[in-house]
């Protein structure tokens, strides 16, 4: 049975999805996961890398902007992105305990890959975290090996979802959560572009969950009392400037709210939006060259299409994470149940919806 | 037939409502509406005033904070509120065309009511606007008379909703919109407090609407092509400080997103949150006196109750505005149809929801 | 004797000034002042208009961004500018009491001038205020006549400074203040552009003043106990996008700090930056057409030149306002003394500075 | 000869300093430095720790707020502090290359020191960085040993300044820079409190420098072409709430601007303000208990005293860093000259200033 929301009839959406309904539908974007499992097979954490297109990973700069939907979280490099309006290098996700070691491993990797570019201008890489401490252990730290494995796993095409990579130990509305993704093709009279969303979901108490179509479920489990967080990454090939990308990033919050998020006090919903528009011949885009030609994007109607696409794709990515995740056990008998296991009969929209 | 969402079974909510399920459930808060109708009976605009408790309207200061959910709108005084963490004086809502004249009338009123207090320290009153230009006319400007009438109409108890006061000419998802309100009683081991929300709704394209419970409706009318805006006011007697009130104000955005808002580019969703906690003997609260005694509020669990209550009350206030508004005709044959007229059969949740 | 800082040797600056060392050095920018004096000749307030280039005042859109240096003030339309990244229409300055009436007069003027453009899409004009209540009166309100007079007075070339237009009743470090302006020509290998600053100064207590070059003065007068505010407008023909303009606007704060501002609690330092780059044939710039050609601007070195120019021009505009203002008497025997009258011997830098 | 600005007559200030004119004048605050020198004795980097009072380092929570003066930098945990309005744990400073490893070492230390408190609620520690890459090396990474050494070095009393701890490799206006500190005692009718500032300075091009009192120097050296950054930490025992502390943090920017900072595009000026008010008997302050008793602080006059004290102490801390730093040589013949070496004749204010 399919584990994705679209095929189950959960989504009512205006825009079609890309080929894989994933952030990798944005040309050149690749995603890689690597999990870390404690020797005793109990604790779960990991790393997910989203690599932007371009031949020179540590030199290409893309317009970017961020949004603090709710702030009790950490996305390193966020202030630098908003200051410069640009991002250089991959976007990395992991568990709270591993932020420091993963950050260090990413910087070390940048030096190993392109010392000439970064030795005198060290990057402030983007590493976003959610707290997977319930299924993981404070003694389990992702380091260079896990980061290397995630880079090695980088690929285009379909993206594994649920408890993979950084999502290994994450929860979602009391169930098992983790990685989710979706995409939307946006067309208007003068062109087409794609919006892809990648989420690391780890938020929501059981009572927050608001299923689509009025689907109703008995109260879910309440294993992990922590409010959690969510990191959202939006990538688009639309020729947006930084100011517009900040507004796109803020729409991640609208999508999360649709699924029931109330932005709990102990939760950190942080979002980043990147435009990969108009790579030049070197495979690198110091600044979007097509900005002027695509000027209509600056007008409200097309921005509204992009906003709507971002909200829709964010909502769908949450459901994809929820539906893909499988039951997982952690240390001390801890356990996060899969929504799909608990509510197989809710897997499809009711008949009156499917018509 | 009731025109409110709660009685129709549209809401699934954790916290009960106050006596009137309105912002006036917060002790001392009063609301007054006054409409302005063009001589030919065609154009519609107006003013709504929310008066805070306290005997000395232009002297009492309350902790307050704001949030820019989406920015293409105007709420005068917002920067001053966020700078001081406090608000003095009533909160006034009106149509875009009348902001200047209404602002001036409010300042003039402050001088007439308490010249001693304000002559040397003129207020920067909060006047929020939405664009009612579809049903109204650029020649129809609310001034001192309409402002005076709204102040005269101030009252506690139930609050008229829909196309009243500032809501006279507003739209909502292509239907007639306007004023909506709701409240929530929040209880925890150490106390109870109330959260009230007052909205001036004027947002959403027909295709944005996401009814609760998966209720489905054929595409609504599309009379007004403008994206509109929404002003949200949250008032609570919880002893919150300004930093917490900014976060409460941001939850208005979560509530709007539940109803389908995507924060369109031409829309301005601005929110304000005020704490009326601990009036002293003069009926005025220079600073919350009970702040320390109620310290548990600072801990996440109670903040989460308040956040959830704000999101719920905001969502319900949108539905109340949608359900209360009645069909209205404007100049040049313009017309905004009432949702209740168009979809009487959707007035109730389906049987499987009501159980 | 010259009343400007540059000629007095007060400035040590890297970039040269434009022809008039004024915001009007930016091609097409015009400034107009109109004062309002009470019948008894005692109270002083007024209006200053800064008109952007382009034939269609209410249709041209320019990239723009704002900054809240310190928030206890009001600049209507600021949220809308930051939301859209664009501004349409003139920038208007006045005293606190007149904000509402001036706002209304500007909207009325937009309808009278170009009803077709604005009737269905009313502007949210930018009206910035400072509190001139010490020399003015709460009964003295600028309305349509004063606004009209300021528009009629629009001109290029030198700009009157000190107690003119909106500056009529303003104070500065305990002395008489008001309007100040300055400009800088910024050149780099690939081009030249100009940065102009217009300030409405009304800030600083006597003890805050920090004269340049270590110039020292006995404590100044302390007539007006109010902390005041400052509105700063930066206009440049550099091809900046909104995100960069927000950062330019923030540099107004750096310039104010150089003169001694500590951002007092009751003060509102709000700044706006606008790019007039690349008008098209209609005299209007929906979006900067030369953005890509001038891509080097996006690199730090040129941005740094623009930042430095903005800080320098802001500092100089403060000194120009201080030096140009003349002693003025208000109601109830109130009086703001001119710095130039009190400290004629400080008019020039000490010999060791002039070399 | 004294290497501090105060004794040299550089400061004109209203408020007196604390006993050590250092952030350690705030009761209970301790600072520790540890440098890391490459085996060949050439590269320089390090770690500085600021420890807040209280017996339980990982449990005590203090009200706090931050400000992004200029954003191209990194202060981990900043979003979390602003979200919660509180900080827990020490504040750590280091070079750009070491952020990840230092972050990891701090988290590891929290687990080693108080596993019970943090194992299920891992901290998001505050680690701020500036780029010392000119005198340091990308191969020189501070890790657990350097962090441990800095903690071991924690002490009250005088604070070493200049090229110590995290300041080891930093520059300042083209000269050698690093750590600087200062404090101010603020007294008003109802009490006294102290404001301490600790800076990690690494900013400014030679041409930016604006010495106090009009002191003039020939253009300084231009060894390091990088714009650098500055991390500012303000600690006070004034009973401020988070909203007020954010505004205090923003005043660091005013102080930096006085010294000549223009907030260069590649620079990150990030500031944090913390209130240690009212420790309870356990030596820990979950929330300021004296908040209400000290209510007058909320009024503008006392806030203005605190703002002025923060600006003054920030300026003085910059000069202290500049004057204390000694010439240092790095790899590849790189060298940062001490201001004190280059301009011994500028060490004192001119006679006309000293009177």
């Amino acid at each position: 049975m399919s584990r994705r929301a679209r095929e189950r009839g959960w989504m009512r959406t205006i825009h079609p999805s890309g080929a894989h309904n994933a952030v990798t539908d944005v040309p050149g974007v690749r995603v890689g996961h690597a999990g870390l499992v404690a020797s005793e097979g109990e604790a779960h954490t990991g790393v997910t890398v989203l690599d932007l297109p371009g031949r020179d990973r540590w030199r290409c700069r893309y317009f970017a902007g961020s949004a603090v939907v709710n702030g009790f979280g950490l996305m390193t490099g966020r202030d630098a992105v908003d200051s410069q309006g640009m991002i250089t290098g991959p976007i990395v996700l992991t568990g709270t305990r591993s932020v420091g070691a993963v950050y260090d491993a990413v910087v070390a990797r940048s030096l190993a890959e392109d010392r000439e570019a970064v030795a005198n201008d060290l990057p402030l890489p983007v590493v976003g975290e959610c707290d997977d401490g319930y299924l993981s252990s404070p003694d389990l730290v992702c380091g260079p090996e896990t980061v290397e494995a995630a880079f090695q796993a980088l690929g285009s095409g379909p993206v594994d979802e649920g408890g993979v990579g950084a999502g290994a130990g994450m929860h979602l509305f009391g169930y098992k959560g983790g990685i989710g993704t979706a995409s939307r093709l946006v067309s208007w009279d003068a062109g087409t572009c794609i919006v892809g969303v990648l989420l690391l979901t780890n938020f929501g108490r059981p009572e927050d969950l608001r299923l689509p179509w009025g689907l109703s479920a008995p109260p879910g489990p309440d294993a992990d009392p922590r409010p959690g967080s969510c990191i959202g990454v939006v990538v688009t090939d639309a020729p947006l400037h930084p100011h517009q990308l900040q507004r796109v990033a803020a729409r991640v919050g609208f999508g999360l709210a649709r699924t029931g998020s109330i932005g709990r006090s102990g939760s950190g919903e942080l979002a980043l939006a990147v435009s990969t528009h108009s790579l030049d011949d070197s495979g690198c885009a110091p600044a979007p060259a097509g900005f002027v030609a695509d000027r209509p994007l600056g007008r409200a109607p097309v921005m509204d299409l992009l906003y709507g696409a971002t909200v829709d794709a964010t909502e769908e990515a949450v459901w994809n994470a929820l539906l893909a995740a499988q039951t997982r056990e952690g240390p001390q008998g801890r356990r996060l149940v899969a929504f799909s296991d608990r509510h197989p009969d809710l897997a499809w929209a009711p008949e009156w919806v499917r018509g």
Side-chain angles (χ1 to χ4, degrees), chain A residues 86-168:
Chain A
M86 289 185 283
I87 188 172
T88 296
I91 297 153
V92 183
L93 309 174
T94 190
T96 305
R97 177 62 187 90
S98 301
V99 169
V102 166
Y103 184 102
D104 188 65
V106 172
V107 174
R109 199 170 211 283
S110 74
L111 284 161
E113 287 187 9
D114 193 347
R115 189 175 175 102
E116 184 189 359
V118 306
N120 286 309
D121 190 14
L122 288 170
L124 299 172
V126 172
V127 180
E129 61 75 45
C130 295
D131 181 11
D132 56 9
Y134 181 74
L135 282 195
S136 188
S137 155
D139 304 316
L140 199 59
V141 185
C142 298
E145 296 76 14
T146 320
V147 169
E148 178 64 24
F151 272 93
Q152 291 299 334
L154 282 171
S156 52
V159 173
D160 282 345
E161 297 173 302
V164 294

Side-chain angles (χ1 to χ4, degrees), chain A residues 5-347:
Chain A
R6 175 68 65 98
E7 294 83 42
R8 293 182 189 216
W10 279 29
M11 301 302 301
R12 45 190 151 171
T13 184
I14 297 168
H15 309 290
S17 295
H20 305 291
N21 196 11
V23 72
T24 47
D25 290 329
V26 183
V29 171
R30 297 182 301 156
V31 172
H33 299 302
L36 181 63
V37 182
S39 55
E40 63 274 34
E42 276 183 333
H44 306 272
T45 188
V47 169
T48 293
V49 175
L50 186 154
D51 203 31
L52 295 168
R55 280 203 298 272
D56 295 303
R57 179 180 284 146
W58 304 104
R59 301 182 186 217
C60 290
R61 302 187 297 169
Y62 300 96
F63 276 176
S66 81
V68 178
V69 176
N70 184 30
F72 198 17
L74 173 60
M75 180 192 279
T76 67
R78 198 185 65 72
D79 284 330
V81 166
D82 271 354
S83 161
Q84 300 300 295
M86 289 185 283
I87 188 172
T88 296
I91 297 153
V92 183
L93 309 174
T94 190
T96 305
R97 177 62 187 90
S98 301
V99 169
V102 166
Y103 184 102
D104 188 65
V106 172
V107 174
R109 199 170 211 283
S110 74
L111 284 161
E113 287 187 9
D114 193 347
R115 189 175 175 102
E116 184 189 359
V118 306
N120 286 309
D121 190 14
L122 288 170
L124 299 172
V126 172
V127 180
E129 61 75 45
C130 295
D131 181 11
D132 56 9
Y134 181 74
L135 282 195
S136 188
S137 155
D139 304 316
L140 199 59
V141 185
C142 298
E145 296 76 14
T146 320
V147 169
E148 178 64 24
F151 272 93
Q152 291 299 334
L154 282 171
S156 52
V159 173
D160 282 345
E161 297 173 302
V164 294
M170 305 296 171
H171 64 85
L172 186 57
F173 298 113
Y175 296 98
K176 183 73 190 72
I179 297 289
T181 189
S183 70
R184 290 293 183 276
L185 280 162
V186 175
S187 299
W188 67 104
D189 52 5
T192 297
C193 58
I194 188 145
V195 176
V197 172
L198 181 75
L199 297 185
L200 177 60
T201 68
N202 191 51
F203 68 94
R205 304 269 309 142
E207 65 267 28
D208 295 341
L209 178 62
R210 293 173 64 94
L211 293 170
W213 295 113
L215 291 172
S216 186
D222 188 13
D224 188 348
R226 278 171 285 202
S229 295
C230 185
I231 302 289
V233 182
V234 186
V235 190
T236 180
D237 58 359
L240 304 183
H241 54 207
H243 167 266
Q244 293 169 314
L245 288 162
Q246 288 178 341
R247 302 188 79 200
V248 167
R251 267 62 194 174
V252 169
F254 287 70
L256 298 180
R258 280 193 186 171
T259 70
S261 167
I262 60 168
R264 284 179 176 272
S265 181
S267 186
E269 280 76 21
L270 304 173
L272 182 74
V274 181
S275 167
T276 65
H277 184 64
S278 64
L279 299 185
D280 63 23
D281 288 345
S282 74
C284 184
F291 185 79
V292 170
D294 295 296
R295 195 181 306 170
L297 271 183
R299 295 194 203 134
V302 178
M303 287 310 296
D304 282 350
L305 296 180
L306 294 171
Y307 291 163
T310 304
V311 177
D312 274 359
T314 300
E315 179 190 359
E316 186 166 346
V318 172
W319 300 138
N320 283 343
L322 184 71
L323 292 168
Q326 295 179 278
T327 298
R328 188 157 294 179
E329 298 186 359
Q332 303 164 27
R334 292 173 171 183
R335 189 165 181 263
L336 286 177
V337 177
F339 179 89
S340 296
D341 290 350
R342 185 65 68 96
H343 303 293
D345 53 333
L346 275 174

